[in-house]
Amino acid sequence: MATERAGYPGEEGRDNRVFLALLALTLVGFLFAWSVSGVQGTKSFSGSSRQKYPGRKPVVFWHMWTANWKDTVEDICARFNESQTEYEVIPLSVPGQASDSKFLLAVAGGDPPDCMAQWNPVIPKWAESKLLVPLDRFMTPDEWADFRKTAYPVAQKIGMYRGNLYGVTTGLNIWACYARIDALKAAGLLPGSGADGGPFPDEIATEADLRRFQKAFPDTLERLVEWGRKLHVYDDNGNLTRMGFMPQWFAMYAPAFGGGFYDWQTGRVLLNTPENLRALTCLADCRKELGFDKVVRFESSLTTTFGADWPFVSGRYAIVVDGQWRVEQLKKYAPDLKYGTAPIPPPAGGCTNAGWSNGNFMIVPVGAKQPQGAWEFIKFWAGLSDPERAAEFYTWGGWLPLNDRIANAAIYRKYVAEHPQFQTFLDILPSPNISPTPPVPYQVYLFDRIQRADDSAMRGTLTPQEALDRLAREMDEELARRKEYEHGR
Amino acid sequence: MRRGWVGYAFIAPWLIGFLVFVAGPFVASIYLSFTRYEVVTPPEWVGTANYERLLSQDPLFWKSLWITIRYALVAVPLGIVAGVGLALLLNLEIRGISVYRTVFFLPSIVPMVASCVVFVWLLNPQIGLVNSVLRLFGVEGPAWLNKEPWAFWSLVLMSLWAIGGSMIIYLAGLKDVPDTLYEAAMIDGAGLWQRTRHVTIPLLTPVIFFNLIMGIIGAFQYFAQAYIMTQGGPEDSTTFYALYLFNRAWRYLDMGYASAMAWVLFVLIMGITALIFKTHRKWVHYGH
């Protein structure tokens, strides 16, 4: 080879030029193919090829539901498409944890969906980064005033950031106590006769039954913990086989003690407060009494918490705090289970109907091609345009609505009559004492550190005061670095 | 050279992919580590603030670094000892040895996520196989993955599950040891232990050296098991460096800070690797 090259002195240079040319050609070809696929992607993304109603403006809608939930969502989209002539909503399921990063990349790439259904705590961060369109800009002043007046406080807390509405809830989550009537009766906790003198119902078949049950249910957390002690069941080795009741989850109980993590009037994050300390101390004391190790072993022996496998169904819990979606699941998977629901009772002198909440909400990204169409769809689903019609959608998913108009719609009342335990959640829903995680741009970090403080206090590695001190210190450091004092504290 | 460009042309798609998806982000992350970059907003230059905070004000950085170093110090030597020991056993000429080799290699080809899920069940404190066996001997096992310090040691224990990969390399190394050396040693009166100590191990050191380097790099990048099995808990006791980095980058969208963390990790790995390379002449024998 060396001899050959010696005979053709310019060949190496030519080789290099050819190589570079070929490389450039490949690069161009690659970029061309990429851009073409991108264009095609955009075409299919905008939905023109998947449109059922050609000629209408496509509204691309991302959501995170799968399986049966996906069908429900698609049914709602179909109903919207049937309801009018200008837009067509094209749903796309983008499940999993990657949905957020896909959304961010789509917005950054200039090709976002027109709207998205979310339940992750994204509004403060994304709104702060100007990725979301304020939805109040689509409302007339009267509509905005009406929304502020009628939407439940928690729906507004979840959807708003710095005075603007960025998310409209289409399903709120509220937690309350579920109690097995058989366990309560066996422990002699429910009297043989109802408060009004009649026999105590074996099952909750009507709202009147529910009220009677709630009247007998403890009205303070202290009494409920006392009930829990009587309902714990142990095996011969001293292992817990049924948990009667034990309060856990700092974020859920702090508001009942008058605490919480945010002053909604001043926008201050609250961490190391006497009320939060009282809450954390109470939870830690309850855990200590039962034994951390015992609780860990008990909880790890449970299989899953989904559907028919929910340990409450198999009797591993006598009283447990969970969300409203369990009512629908119990009807489906355990129709013979007799149970009642009641709000989490506050500690003596505490706040009633208090707790933590989250929910599903709809957002519109900056760069959406059909923001008006997206808004029409949001109004349709959420029930801002026609509460009676939207009430039906809420019953499909067992979702909690965002205002009384939907909750009082005939079809929704019929659903509640068929699921009387659901009424408990509707009772709690309008409460001003229900709050989501504070709407600050570092919401996820704050949530994680609150859980960490909770964990340390429950394990007894830190006292509740030490756990709160550390939480406050961590957040101070984080805020100092992020230079977000102006809206963080 | 005439044919060289044809080869380059064929690998051009890979080269372009490497430049765009690996080299580009790699270089970009140097710049990003000096910025406040939250993915959804343009990067904002903050100088060395990320590095300063990492080193002086972030206890979780030091904690995660210490957890990772501790893991490297324990799991890597343990893996080498177990891998070499296993390879020595599987190097014996006994009946059905190829079946044994296959059996011991199999776990290393089981997907990581599947292995993790299996171990979560094995180590379940109430209904797991490990504690059930311990109970037969009257011992109540700990809540492995839910209690400090057991969660960390559970992950160390689990690291032995996949030593089949390194074991195969050791086995190949053993096959390369010339029989003549063993024969000479035997003529000189060396017993089994002396042959292992003075012939096998020295000639296996190049392979051990390779696995040590790869093991340390792997230990400093340890992520998937902790992410799947413990999510960094309990109480951050299994928050490995890479897991903390990932959370910073994708959970908190704190990409500038995470980039700084990545560069600290890079420098650390390079430093340790260089140190081992520097010492290797003293203990690695190439048989000449």
Side-chain angles (χ1 to χ4, degrees):
Chain A
M1 287 293 281
T3 315
E4 276 181 25
R5 269 205 298 272
Y8 302 95
E11 190 174 337
E12 190 169 344
R14 275 203 305 280
D15 275 356
N16 285 341
R17 281 198 297 277
V18 173
F19 165 64
L20 287 173
L22 202 67
L23 192 68
L25 198 68
T26 310
L27 182 62
V28 169
F30 179 75
L31 292 174
F32 177 74
W34 195 2
S35 61
V36 166
S37 70
V39 170
Q40 283 174 344
T42 308
K43 254 185 189 169
S44 84
F45 195 66
S46 69
S48 56
S49 61
R50 295 168 54 206
Q51 274 192 266
K52 194 177 168 188
Y53 303 95
R56 289 198 199 173
K57 296 172 189 165
V59 175
V60 178
F61 165 53
W62 284 13
H63 63 84
M64 303 196 289
W65 284 283
T66 54
N68 293 345
W69 291 105
K70 181 170 172 271
D71 297 339
T72 303
V73 168
E74 287 178 357
D75 287 345
I76 294 170
C77 296
R79 289 283 286 272
F80 173 78
N81 293 337
E82 288 162 9
S83 74
Q84 48 89 54
T85 55
E86 190 175 0
Y87 299 104
E88 178 180 355
V89 165
I90 300 166
L92 180 69
S93 175
V94 188
Q97 293 179 326
S99 57
D100 288 1
S101 46
K102 282 180 185 167
F103 177 86
L104 293 175
L105 293 173
V107 175
D111 192 19
D114 295 302
C115 62
M116 183 176 187
Q118 260 287 357
W119 53 68
N120 295 328
V122 295
I123 286 181
K125 181 84 181 174
W126 291 0
E128 178 77 14
S129 304
K130 298 187 170 43
L131 297 179
L132 302 181
V133 176
L135 300 178
D136 43 288
R137 86 163 49 149
F138 296 107
M139 297 180 181
T140 63
D142 286 347
E143 284 173 333
W144 176 235
D146 186 61
F147 178 84
R148 296 286 282 160
K149 190 176 156 197
T150 59
Y152 295 133
V154 64
Q156 299 193 36
K157 287 174 183 173
I158 288 174
M160 289 185 68
Y161 179 68
R162 289 191 170 193
N164 286 109
L165 181 71
Y166 289 95
V168 173
T169 59
T170 53
L172 290 157
N173 292 327
I174 296 290
W175 278 256
C177 296
Y178 285 77
R180 289 181 67 112
I181 290 179
D182 57 352
L184 301 189
K185 282 197 166 182
L189 293 169
L190 288 181
S193 60
D196 57 357
F200 203 89
D202 281 330
E203 67 175 309
I204 308 295
T206 64
E207 192 179 330
D209 293 337
L210 180 75
R211 298 302 178 206
R212 195 184 290 179
F213 171 81
Q214 290 179 341
K215 210 165 182 180
F217 199 74
D219 55 356
T220 64
L221 189 60
E222 291 81 357
R223 275 195 63 214
L224 183 57
V225 170
E226 191 56 45
W227 272 34
R229 286 191 192 107
K230 293 174 182 167
L231 291 163
H232 295 320
V233 176
Y234 301 88
D235 66 10
D236 295 341
N237 298 322
N239 291 320
L240 197 61
T241 55
R242 182 179 76 186
M243 184 178 281
F245 173 77
M246 189 190 71
Q248 43 187 344
W249 193 1
F250 181 33
M252 180 60 75
Y253 283 92
F257 284 79
F261 305 103
Y262 197 64
D263 183 333
W264 294 87
Q265 303 302 320
T266 63
R268 273 170 55 88
V269 173
L270 305 169
L271 299 169
N272 201 350
T273 64
E275 295 82 9
N276 285 348
L277 179 62
R278 260 195 341 124
L280 197 56
T281 304
C282 170
L283 301 185
D285 288 347
C286 289
R287 174 67 74 105
K288 200 172 168 185
E289 181 187 317
L290 205 50
F292 174 75
D293 202 49
K294 270 199 173 69
V295 176
V296 166
R297 283 170 191 279
F298 169 76
E299 288 181 340
S300 59
S301 71
L302 309 173
T303 49
T304 68
T305 57
F306 303 109
D309 288 336
W310 186 30
F312 180 74
V313 175
S314 56
R316 304 297 300 278
Y317 288 113
I319 301 173
V320 68
V321 169
D322 217 307
Q324 82 287 340
W325 58 89
R326 296 292 188 187
V327 174
E328 182 68 35
Q329 287 184 353
L330 287 174
K331 182 144 188 146
K332 190 172 176 185
Y333 299 117
D336 298 328
L337 182 68
K338 315 299 183 215
Y339 71 98
T341 54
I344 301 170
C351 298
T352 54
N353 291 337
W356 179 83
S357 173
N358 66 359
N360 315 322
F361 51 86
M362 303 279 267
I363 53 176
V364 176
V366 167
K369 293 172 190 67
Q370 298 294 343
Q372 190 60 43
W375 175 242
E376 293 301 325
F377 178 53
I378 292 170
K379 280 198 298 181
F380 178 87
W381 185 347
L384 295 178
S385 52
D386 186 343
E388 288 286 337
R389 178 178 56 195
E392 187 182 359
F393 310 146
Y394 283 94
T395 66
W396 289 352
W399 289 312
L400 289 167
L402 81 167
N403 62 32
D404 271 339
R405 287 176 192 153
I406 303 163
N408 292 328
I411 196 163
Y412 204 82
R413 292 313 309 168
K414 184 168 174 284
Y415 177 82
V416 178
E418 289 164 3
H419 304 74
Q421 293 91 340
F422 206 79
Q423 183 59 45
T424 299
F425 301 92
L426 286 169
D427 293 341
I428 301 169
L429 199 50
S431 169
N433 299 328
I434 297 287
S435 297
T437 305
V440 289
Y442 48 91
Q443 200 176 32
V444 180
Y445 183 76
L446 174 61
F447 188 76
D448 282 357
R449 299 329 288 172
I450 290 171
Q451 282 196 317
R452 177 74 167 81
D454 189 3
D455 195 27
S456 294
M458 293 310 110
R459 289 168 188 270
T461 48
L462 293 180
T463 65
Q465 183 63 66
E466 286 169 345
L468 287 181
D469 287 345
R470 188 184 62 189
L471 172 63
R473 204 168 49 242
E474 284 171 344
M475 294 317 301
D476 279 346
E477 285 170 3
E478 188 67 16
L479 286 171
R481 190 178 71 81
R482 288 170 174 254
K483 296 177 186 168
E484 286 170 346
Y485 274 106
E486 70 276 14
H487 48 76
R489 292 200 111 171
Chain B
M1 190 60 209
R2 177 187 282 276
R3 288 182 185 168
W5 62 266
V6 179
Y8 282 115
F10 272 113
I11 61 166
W14 180 87
L15 274 178
I16 292 164
F18 176 78
L19 290 173
V20 173
F21 297 117
V22 179
F26 182 80
V27 174
S29 70
I30 301 174
Y31 166 70
L32 292 176
S33 72
F34 293 100
T35 65
R36 177 184 160 193
Y37 177 47
E38 301 188 333
V39 185
V40 292
T41 48
E44 176 192 327
W45 183 262
V46 293
T48 56
N50 287 332
Y51 290 97
E52 283 167 24
R53 182 172 187 273
L54 262 182
L55 300 174
S56 63
Q57 292 169 45
D58 187 350
L60 198 50
F61 164 79
W62 289 107
K63 183 166 186 176
S64 66
L65 186 59
W66 171 235
I67 290 166
T68 308
I69 290 172
R70 202 156 57 113
Y71 179 81
L73 286 175
V74 179
V76 175
L78 197 65
I80 290 173
V81 171
V84 171
L86 202 59
L88 287 170
L89 288 174
L90 295 175
N91 197 33
L92 299 174
E93 292 302 326
I94 56 169
R95 202 169 160 191
I97 190 69
S98 55
V99 175
Y100 293 126
R101 284 175 190 161
T102 309
V103 167
F104 281 100
F105 182 67
L106 272 178
S108 63
I109 57 168
V110 175
M112 178 60 71
V113 176
S115 297
C116 290
V117 173
V118 168
F119 267 85
V120 165
W121 281 109
L122 287 176
L123 298 172
N124 185 295
Q126 196 85 339
I127 53 177
L129 184 68
V130 176
N131 277 6
S132 300
V133 171
L134 288 174
R135 243 173 251 133
L136 294 177
F137 298 98
V139 178
E140 189 57 51
W144 296 97
L145 295 170
N146 293 301
K147 201 166 184 182
E148 231 180 332
W150 293 105
F152 174 80
W153 293 108
S154 301
L155 295 179
V156 171
L157 186 77
M158 192 192 155
S159 70
L160 294 178
W161 169 251
I163 58 167
S166 59
M167 180 267 293
I168 285 290
I169 300 174
Y170 291 125
L171 203 54
L174 286 175
K175 296 287 176 198
D176 269 353
V177 180
D179 287 341
T180 51
L181 292 179
Y182 289 118
E183 287 163 10
M186 285 168 80
I187 291 167
D188 288 345
L192 181 66
W193 167 246
Q194 284 168 316
R195 289 201 301 277
T196 306
R197 167 76 183 79
H198 296 290
V199 179
T200 310
I201 300 293
L203 289 176
L204 209 55
T205 48
V207 182
I208 294 175
F209 174 61
F210 169 77
N211 275 328
L212 176 68
I213 296 286
M214 298 310 288
I216 284 177
I217 293 173
F220 274 90
Q221 295 177 341
Y222 190 84
F223 170 76
Q225 294 91 326
Y227 181 69
I228 295 164
M229 295 170 71
T230 61
Q231 295 85 48
E235 296 192 85
D236 296 330
S237 65
T238 58
T239 301
F240 285 81
Y241 195 93
L243 179 61
Y244 183 43
L245 192 159
F246 173 85
N247 282 339
R248 276 283 171 190
W250 293 109
R251 188 163 169 78
Y252 309 139
L253 296 181
D254 203 353
M255 195 61 82
Y257 196 72
S259 297
M261 284 187 72
W263 274 95
V264 170
L265 180 66
F266 178 75
V267 170
L268 210 62
I269 291 177
M270 289 300 285
I272 292 171
T273 308
L275 201 68
I276 296 170
F277 261 95
K278 204 166 183 177
T279 63
H280 91 290
R281 288 185 193 284
K282 291 179 184 165
W283 61 275
V284 178
H285 307 276
Y286 289 99
H288 46 71

